[in-house]
Amino acid sequence: VMALSAGDRVAVIGGFERMGVCTLQGLVQSSYKAVMQSPEGFSEEIKVKWPIDGQGGTMPKGVQYSNDFPMCPGAIIALETPAEASDIAGILNFMQDKGLKKVVFLSRAGVERKDDLLIKFNPFLKIDKWFNAEEQIKASAAEYGFDYTIVRTGPLEGGPFFDSNREFASALEGSLFDVEAKCMELSVADKLDAKTGRDLASQALIQGLSRDVPVFSVVGAKSGPLTCSVMNHMNCQSGTKERKVFTPTPEEWDAAFAQA
């Protein structure tokens, strides 16, 4: 197993989306170095669509923004909607020259149950596309020799974006507000059906970098044995409300994987 080491660079694909922003912020607070490919002319001072509350409207600080990826042993593909398999193949083909050892891929619970009628005919899930994307991750891993972990979540909700969402139109774009889930469920079987907060989901993606688990699912829970006791782990402050979001400690992650 090709585990990453502290100080290794990790590239985030989809970094301007809400999940990507959360993942970049989490990486900055971790032992890894966060990297993101940015467009020509991008600077850290540019105002973005989904800034973290209290960060001045810009992308997370402490990320290496670069037109071209440097050597990157790790990659997290954090796209909220499923990419075409051909696009994923292209990204991984490009990155395998950068010393790629480990890829973590955000996917959706239900992929292994895609023939269940309730899942198959739910147009919001796009489960066939997620299935094809996962298959491409496995195929590229076999071709190029990197390890992968697929992290399946329920429908994503919340995130540190309370102040970004003043308008009704943007409120329609997805579950807006954080739900106070002080516990979680984590399983290697594709059997979980509940929503996943973006804070928990992004932390799970970062966990995937160091876990020797090909696939796991994670969702929030109101109660249960797997507790999340870190409140507001990003230390971000909305102008209007206290943020009550809970994520696991390192020990709580270990306990979750031990029972998975």
Side-chain angles (χ1 to χ4, degrees):
V1 179
M2 294 181 281
L4 297 190
S5 310
D8 277 347
R9 290 194 188 99
V10 176
V12 175
I13 315 294
F16 286 118
E17 295 181 6
R18 283 175 285 184
M19 270 301 300
V21 171
C22 290
T23 304
L24 285 167
Q25 182 66 29
L27 283 170
V28 168
Q29 293 171 275
S30 77
S31 63
Y32 304 112
K33 290 196 175 105
V35 177
M36 183 181 141
Q37 193 175 28
S38 52
E40 197 77 54
F42 176 80
S43 86
E44 282 192 15
E45 305 316 309
I46 287 176
K47 298 278 193 266
V48 292
K49 181 175 182 182
W50 297 115
I52 288 174
D53 290 339
Q55 287 198 356
T58 59
M59 289 290 282
K61 300 283 187 281
V63 177
Q64 182 178 346
Y65 296 102
S66 156
N67 258 132
D68 184 33
F69 280 128
M71 294 300 280
C72 260
I76 296 175
I77 301 178
L79 301 167
E80 296 205 10
T81 51
E84 296 296 335
S86 56
D87 292 339
I88 291 172
I91 290 167
L92 294 173
N93 177 47
F94 169 72
M95 290 207 64
Q96 53 112 5
D97 293 335
K98 307 289 180 184
L100 195 57
K101 290 189 207 167
K102 180 75 188 251
V103 171
V104 179
F105 180 69
L106 173 67
S107 189
R108 187 55 57 87
V111 164
E112 290 176 36
R113 296 170 282 155
K114 68 185 179 64
D115 295 327
D116 290 11
L117 293 185
L118 283 178
I119 290 176
K120 195 182 186 76
F121 294 112
N122 182 337
F124 299 106
L125 283 180
K126 303 184 174 73
I127 210 72
D128 281 335
K129 281 201 151 185
W130 286 115
F131 174 81
N132 292 338
E134 285 193 11
E135 290 301 299
Q136 184 60 57
I137 295 286
K138 295 173 192 170
S140 292
E143 183 177 355
Y144 302 132
F146 58 77
D147 282 336
Y148 68 86
T149 292
I150 293 165
V151 180
R152 295 178 181 147
T153 71
L156 296 165
E157 64 184 0
F161 308 108
F162 190 77
D163 295 338
S164 310
N165 268 296
R166 290 296 165 84
E167 296 161 27
F168 181 67
S170 59
L172 293 176
E173 285 189 22
S175 307
L176 181 50
F177 301 113
D178 294 316
V179 174
E180 200 174 307
K182 292 189 176 176
C183 299
M184 65 173 169
E185 291 183 79
L186 191 148
S187 176
V188 294
D190 184 17
K191 64 180 186 185
L192 302 181
D193 285 301
K195 292 182 174 174
T196 310
R198 286 184 176 85
D199 291 73
L200 177 62
S202 58
Q203 290 287 295
L205 292 174
I206 295 167
Q207 285 292 315
L209 293 168
S210 62
R211 300 285 173 177
D212 181 21
V213 181
V215 58
F216 68 91
S217 298
V218 61
V219 298
K222 287 199 166 54
S223 60
L226 301 180
T227 50
C228 302
S229 55
V230 181
M231 185 169 119
N232 190 13
H233 71 110
M234 295 191 202
N235 298 316
C236 64
Q237 191 52 53
S238 156
T240 41
K241 68 192 257 272
E242 184 189 18
R243 192 149 192 260
K244 291 195 173 170
V245 168
F246 297 88
T247 52
T249 63
E251 295 73 29
E252 286 169 333
W253 278 117
D254 287 343
F257 281 101
Q259 62 79 56

